[in-house]
Amino acid sequence: MDNIRKAVIAAAGLGTRMFPITKVIEKAMLPIGRRPTIDYIVRECAAAGVREIAIVVRRGSTQIQRYYEDDTELRALLGRRGWGEKARALDELASVPSITFIEQDLEDRYGTAVPVMLARDFIADDAFFFVSSDDLLVERHGQSTLTQLGRDAGGSGGYALVGQPSPASALDRYGRLETVESDGRLHLTDLVEKDAGGTRPDGGKVLINISRYAFPAEFLPVLGAVGEHEESGEYRLTDGLSEVVRSTAIAVTVSRGTYFDLGSEQGLAEASQHVVVDKQ
């Protein structure tokens, strides 16, 4: 499990929190500097040794696919004008892992479990990472939380997820991880959905769920047995994890990176400030 070579990235959301710009630009293609947000997630997976990525996109979408395909006409135009140096800026697009695109019909089932279920043929019998394109984790050069996540999953029955230290005031926006320490490692005991009432009066920190997981292929039938959540109507990945944690240890890897919620205008602006301006 410490050599996970596949990853599934969820990128099919409508981006309603970012309307009206996401009416014409897919949420995962919103820019941070000169690269789209999805590319930071793809390269995070690559840094962890992932060789094959499935990106689950909304049915009919084309922008992410076009970004990663080689544009021979553009290269030819740049060559004719003597702009070889500018063409070399496109070469980094060829350095990403092999990418498969899977379409999700948003008129059909909805929820965080759906992208994983749609990717079952891609996953086959292999362990895999699952990452949301809404969540950016910026780390120092040479640091990889996903790599550690794979290692922790290998020592914990194949299951692990990332916990991001965060002020307790964030609990009305993110799920909380309840953990217990055993043999020097953290293990999940419960997943608590958004809970404004859980805010600590002392302002203490908690671990929030930032949608980075390592799963064995055996998780697929567990998810397949999960029905719609009775209140939201969604198929929730966390409902599957709640079933697993009853009988199987789930490791929690504490992130040391800086987290940004790319699904919000503020989060995207803060990520751009951090990556583009503060790093200069």
Side-chain angles (χ1 to χ4, degrees), residues 72-152:
T72 54
E73 290 185 6
L74 176 59
R75 285 183 178 274
L77 173 63
L78 295 174
R80 288 194 299 271
R81 295 192 175 182
W83 293 342
E85 185 66 31
K86 294 181 180 181
R88 277 191 283 276
L90 302 176
D91 292 341
E92 66 179 41
L93 296 178
S95 66
V96 298
S98 171
I99 297 178
T100 297
F101 292 97
I102 299 171
E103 290 192 337
Q104 178 179 348
D105 185 350
L106 298 186
E107 295 287 349
D108 196 2
R109 296 173 299 175
Y110 183 74
T112 53
V114 176
V116 176
M117 292 189 286
L118 290 175
R120 56 185 175 272
D121 290 341
F122 166 82
I123 294 165
D125 296 323
D126 298 315
F128 64 101
F129 293 121
F130 177 64
V131 183
S132 166
S133 63
D134 277 352
D135 301 290
L136 175 65
L137 193 60
V138 179
E139 301 173 291
R140 295 191 303 272
H141 180 71
Q143 181 175 299
S144 172
T145 295
L146 278 188
T147 298
Q148 186 59 50
L149 183 69
R151 292 172 183 155
D152 290 345

Side-chain angles (χ1 to χ4, degrees), residues 94-229:
S95 66
V96 298
S98 171
I99 297 178
T100 297
F101 292 97
I102 299 171
E103 290 192 337
Q104 178 179 348
D105 185 350
L106 298 186
E107 295 287 349
D108 196 2
R109 296 173 299 175
Y110 183 74
T112 53
V114 176
V116 176
M117 292 189 286
L118 290 175
R120 56 185 175 272
D121 290 341
F122 166 82
I123 294 165
D125 296 323
D126 298 315
F128 64 101
F129 293 121
F130 177 64
V131 183
S132 166
S133 63
D134 277 352
D135 301 290
L136 175 65
L137 193 60
V138 179
E139 301 173 291
R140 295 191 303 272
H141 180 71
Q143 181 175 299
S144 172
T145 295
L146 278 188
T147 298
Q148 186 59 50
L149 183 69
R151 292 172 183 155
D152 290 345
S156 187
Y159 291 89
L161 74 165
V162 173
Q164 180 71 29
S166 176
S169 58
L171 291 179
D172 61 336
R173 291 175 289 138
Y174 306 101
R176 182 175 82 250
L177 307 182
E178 293 291 340
T179 63
V180 64
E181 186 172 348
S182 175
D183 297 326
R185 297 189 178 197
L186 285 182
H187 290 92
L188 185 72
T189 59
D190 194 16
L191 285 151
V192 182
E193 293 299 325
K194 299 173 184 178
D195 178 20
T199 301
R200 294 180 180 174
D202 62 358
K205 291 206 170 184
V206 295
L207 291 179
I208 62 170
N209 182 6
I210 61 168
S211 299
R212 274 160 174 74
Y213 307 90
F215 295 126
E218 290 76 15
F219 186 49
L220 294 177
V222 176
L223 272 189
V226 171
E228 292 183 14
H229 188 262

Side-chain angles (χ1 to χ4, degrees), residues 250-269:
I250 299 177
V252 175
T253 302
V254 178
S255 163
R256 287 178 291 175
T258 304
Y259 168 71
F260 300 95
D261 178 358
L262 300 181
S264 71
E265 184 178 357
Q266 179 179 346
L268 185 66

